[in-house]
Amino acid sequence: MMAGSWLGRVVVCASLWSRVAAHTTFAANTSWALSNPNSSLVVGGTVPGGVYTDLLKANVLTSDVYYRYNDLDYRWVSEQNWTYSTTLTASQDLVDQERVALVFQGLDTAAQVLLNGELVGTSDNMFVRYVFDVKEHLQTSEDNTLEVMFESPVEYAARQYEAQAADYVVPPKCVDPAFKGVCHANHIRKMQASFSWDWGPAFPNMGIWKDWNLVGWNSLLVRDVFFSATPASPLPTVPDHDLRPSWIVTVKVWCDAAFESGNVTGSVNITLGNLIATTEPSVATVEHYEALLAFTFTLEEGQVEMWWPNGYGGQPLYQLTIQWTDEDDSETSSKSVRVGFRTIELNQDFVDATDETKGRHFRVRVNNVTMFMKGSNWIPAHVLPEAVTPQYTRYLLQSAADTHQNCMRVWGGGIYETDAFYEIADELGILIWQDFMFACSMYPVNEMFLDAVRAEVTTQVRRLQHHVSILLWAGNNENESALRDNWYGTSSDFEQYKADYIVLYVDTIRNITQTLDATRPFAVSSPSNGIESEAEGYIAQFPSNTLYGDVHYYNYLSDAWIGENTPRTRFASEYGFQSWPSFRTLQEVTIEEDWSSDSPMMYHRQHHPGGQEELALQIGLHMHLPPQDGTLKVFQDYLYLGQVHQAMAIKTETEFYRRGMSEVAENGEGYTSGALYWQLNDIWQGASWASIEYGGRWKMLHYYSKKFFSPMIVSLYRENDDLKVYIVSDLTEEVLDVTLSIDLYRYDQRDKVNSYNKSLNVAAAEANLVATVKLLQDLEMNTLCQQGIYDQEDVCFVVSRLISAADGSPAAPDNFLLLGKPKDAYIPHATVKVESISGPFTTVKSNRTFTVKLTNDAISLFVWLEVDEDGVFSDNGFLMTEPEVDITFYSLKDTTADALQSSITVKSLTDTYKGETVVGVGAKTVMEHSFHPNDIKNILFV
């Protein structure tokens, strides 16, 4: 098939309405062709889009990119050059404009742009907006040929690496072999994770991945809008949601000019909701085809409401519209954005002004209120950006907001997210910790690379600055730690790499960012010691010092359900544990021969070095890990147990961080002010740290996060024979007259066997030790938890409840602490059944809400429900002490109770036991297959 048969025509003509300056063609109106270098393969192209997606649509790639080994089998696509081409029809009116340009919001990545066979521009950065002047190359014709010729990113990155290596090597040379990836991602300004990561595949894409247009104009085109608002007087330190202070507002407008330099006269009309409508005469000074217009005005008290993070108040947003009109009223250009009113501060005061050795705070203040940041880390939702819809983005962010998250870190190895992402975060009150896209590598600082970075930072800060949700900018992910700790052998020339680091992140990225946006904090790296790292020349001796800044912490070898080695850090910006997705999700891209934990496919999908062995070790510390016998049940049990482990481990660690928000140790450790677990979402169906599976199913961890991130929690941990009971509250007001109950249960009895009760008031915005319960005296565990040769903690567990005395409602979610390890415990087999499903009925969360009635015949651990239908349960993975419980299912699509009944499954921990459970005096739980966790041969799959 010849390329010409795919070429479409775009008619570009001047509007007859004289007030419209831009004569524009958008990609949606254009037919494109995609071809390989010799045109032996020509298919239809989609813009915005990418090569992999187009080859899938054309059935050149015959199965989903994520199916089985396609990340390897389709690698050839990224190793070739590809060209997108189309034809344009341009009118004389367009060609007569002062300036005519092709504007690409995003080209992925190394490309040449040709119009009528003439080179009009090149790209080398996925994250830059490109403007290519084409007036002299554009013909008044129906046959203007536009070609965007992409070079293989694999070949481009390798070529750049070799050129740099002729001077000195900028490592790493390649990713860990376990990643099954592509080398030299740090030498191309592209999604770093598209070359693979330890949770995702390598698909180095190419394409016109964002909107484009052809435009002609004579004066100015409004491009980006800067917005800042400062209270005219100090705000109180306690939230006052009735407060509507006066604000001093600054608006800046960056414009593309039709000429290189000089002055242009016109007027700017500014509207802010229904509050402000003003027209300002303006004379703009143009330099290098760019003009900046700036305006300041005051909003009086009572005119606007303040914006608050999720859980602290509402998120009112106001439409800000800027319209430029030229001097003779012949053309206009405008842009609208939504803005909010709030203040942001990253407080790094000394913890103890009299003893600076105790370190500095690292706490967020919004509207002058100190807040604990609860949230997660965000990675690209698909390795092909064009595959992510605004609807899926909203679903993921709403899932975060529904679990009380108020902060999310956009990780520095992905992409600067879509406009929709930040708009939704604005709406939901999710603060965005925004990394720049540099991760786990050293980077070049040659002039060509720095030029690309300058354009990137300028593009993204100007594009995103107005979003009220953006909390701070961070220069990179883990590169300070990588350099100081010699991850890539940089100690051999440390001073060279340190100098490069400062040139890139301090002299370039930080300086540009702070010049463009002085309204927000800037962190040079994450993790980092913040101000202390800067004082140590930007590369601290120990970048994860718990007395400063933020920390990334991972430990896959110690007991994660105890967490005794967890650092008492100021801010935990990354921590996590792996699990696999559910069988329903994994089944979409695998076949029967893959359904074993030690199958080649499972090892192929496990990109974390040693991940299979570490996960088996962690499961085996607390639960019986059934050896793989090739049955589907055992494989499904393995997936379930991995999710139990992950949920319990992150629950333990997050509660530890939340308990530390008000405590400080003698050495200064403590005052933890944030917990962002790694990670919210998945990029594909594989082993990862995510709490939401690829496609949207909540893992057990995400259900647990709804509880451990609740505004108020009861947190329990054991210290010898004492049970320490904390109440943590993010609420900004004291809660009066609640009753705390600590109930002691036996696994083999339905009713609690003892209880400790206490009435108290809960302090606002604090974590407090409210009780030390003596297990042996207060709960009489030594007498009530006897059973043959079993240890007391293997017979009993505790459940906490916090009840409002006023109306008997829960003031916090119930919580539990297993005093021993389930694999050693005296646990009868529990049969959990779905007794009935009723509905649908309408609730606030869904018009298709169902009630699932569960029954059991014994206390049940980690009760887990799954259905084929898309939706979310009100609770899952829970401890079921009652004989009957109602769980709500919020369906995302039309379905029926019968359809749910036909697909729903339920299991609890003892369903994973292969042998019979023997209950009786002097009997241990007998497993047909059991092992000791110290016997490494039995807990590893190799």
Side-chain angles (χ1 to χ4, degrees), residues 388-403:
V388 183
T389 65
Q391 293 77 16
Y392 187 52
T393 299
R394 179 175 291 277
Y395 171 80
L396 292 173
L397 290 176
Q398 185 67 60
S399 295
D402 287 347
T403 53

Side-chain angles (χ1 to χ4, degrees), residues 600-840:
M601 171 56 64
M602 292 292 279
Y603 272 91
H604 176 71
R605 290 263 160 165
Q606 173 59 270
H607 284 194
H608 175 58
Q612 292 295 80
E613 292 74 27
E614 290 169 353
L615 181 56
L617 171 64
Q618 286 290 329
I619 293 172
L621 286 175
H622 284 267
M623 297 173 288
H624 294 286
L625 181 63
Q628 298 301 303
D629 61 4
T631 64
L632 179 59
K633 178 188 182 301
V634 166
F635 181 61
Q636 292 173 329
D637 288 349
Y638 164 73
L639 301 177
Y640 161 81
L641 292 169
Q643 290 209 19
V644 172
H645 157 68
Q646 181 192 38
M648 287 294 292
I650 299 299
K651 171 185 183 293
T652 301
E653 192 164 349
T654 304
E655 288 187 16
F656 173 83
Y657 293 134
R658 293 196 69 185
R659 290 197 303 265
M661 68 180 288
S662 302
E663 290 189 337
V664 60
E666 185 64 30
N667 68 349
E669 287 186 330
Y671 289 144
T672 305
S673 59
L676 310 181
Y677 68 80
W678 184 268
Q679 64 210 64
L680 178 77
N681 56 310
D682 244 335
I683 201 169
W684 73 335
Q685 305 93 330
S688 83
W689 294 253
S691 65
I692 301 178
E693 298 173 7
Y694 172 80
R697 286 191 181 95
W698 287 19
K699 287 184 177 179
M700 194 179 295
L701 167 57
H702 206 74
Y703 286 101
Y704 275 42
S705 73
K706 185 178 177 182
K707 295 181 179 180
F708 63 60
F709 277 153
S710 287
M712 188 184 299
I713 63 169
V714 178
S715 180
L716 313 169
Y717 77 95
R718 185 177 180 181
E719 192 175 88
N720 299 318
D721 288 330
D722 289 340
L723 184 67
K724 301 290 186 178
V725 183
Y726 279 74
I727 295 182
V728 183
S729 176
D730 293 326
L731 302 176
T732 54
E733 294 183 356
E734 183 182 21
V735 177
L736 301 175
D737 200 10
V738 296
T739 299
L740 170 69
S741 296
I742 305 298
D743 298 328
L744 182 70
Y745 282 87
R746 288 176 58 109
Y747 288 110
D748 61 338
Q749 294 185 23
R750 176 68 69 183
D751 297 326
K752 61 186 179 184
V753 295
N754 206 346
S755 186
Y756 169 93
N757 299 287
K758 182 178 182 179
S759 296
L760 47 81
N761 299 328
V762 180
E766 286 186 6
N768 288 303
L769 177 65
V770 298
T772 298
V773 180
K774 303 291 185 181
L775 290 170
L776 303 184
Q777 290 80 33
D778 296 331
L779 291 178
E780 302 177 273
M781 193 173 80
N782 55 336
T783 58
L784 297 176
C785 298
Q786 294 295 328
Q787 187 62 55
I789 63 172
Y790 283 94
D791 295 330
Q792 298 161 10
E793 59 264 27
D794 296 328
V795 176
C796 288
F797 62 94
V798 293
V799 175
S800 69
R801 296 180 173 91
L802 192 67
I803 303 298
S804 172
D807 57 9
S809 63
D814 292 354
N815 203 352
F816 66 91
L817 182 67
L818 306 182
L819 299 172
K821 298 180 177 182
K823 68 174 184 177
D824 298 328
Y826 176 75
I827 305 178
H829 179 80
T831 300
V832 186
K833 295 181 179 180
V834 177
E835 194 69 24
S836 65
I837 301 178
S838 58

Side-chain angles (χ1 to χ4, degrees), residues 184-297:
H184 312 311
N186 55 328
H187 290 268
I188 182 171
R189 291 310 301 142
K190 177 178 173 60
M191 182 203 296
Q192 302 290 270
S194 70
F195 280 50
S196 80
W197 219 261
D198 60 355
W199 36 252
F203 282 96
N205 203 9
M206 286 162 276
I208 305 169
W209 76 291
K210 290 193 172 187
D211 286 333
W212 72 284
N213 61 329
L214 175 65
V215 58
W217 73 107
N218 292 315
S219 59
L220 300 181
L221 286 183
V222 174
R223 185 175 74 224
D224 296 307
V225 176
F226 169 97
F227 175 84
S228 71
T230 304
S233 57
L235 299 174
T237 57
V238 176
D240 179 356
H241 297 110
D242 295 325
L243 181 66
R244 299 185 179 187
S246 175
W247 297 85
I248 300 170
V249 175
T250 299
V251 174
K252 298 179 183 178
V253 187
W254 282 284
C255 301
D256 289 327
F259 44 89
E260 185 174 9
S261 62
N263 293 330
V264 59
T265 301
S267 61
V268 175
N269 180 262
I270 303 172
T271 60
L272 181 62
N274 58 2
L275 305 171
I276 290 276
T278 180
T279 300
E280 303 288 341
S282 296
V283 177
T285 300
V286 176
E287 295 181 356
H288 305 295
Y289 290 103
E290 184 175 87
L292 175 62
L293 305 168
F295 309 91
T296 300
F297 54 89

Side-chain angles (χ1 to χ4, degrees), residues 888-909:
T888 304
F889 178 71
Y890 305 103
S891 178
L892 297 178
K893 297 179 180 178
D894 287 333
T895 189
T896 65
D898 288 343
L900 291 175
Q901 187 75 58
S902 67
S903 72
I904 197 166
T905 59
V906 59
K907 74 192 311 176
S908 67
L909 183 64

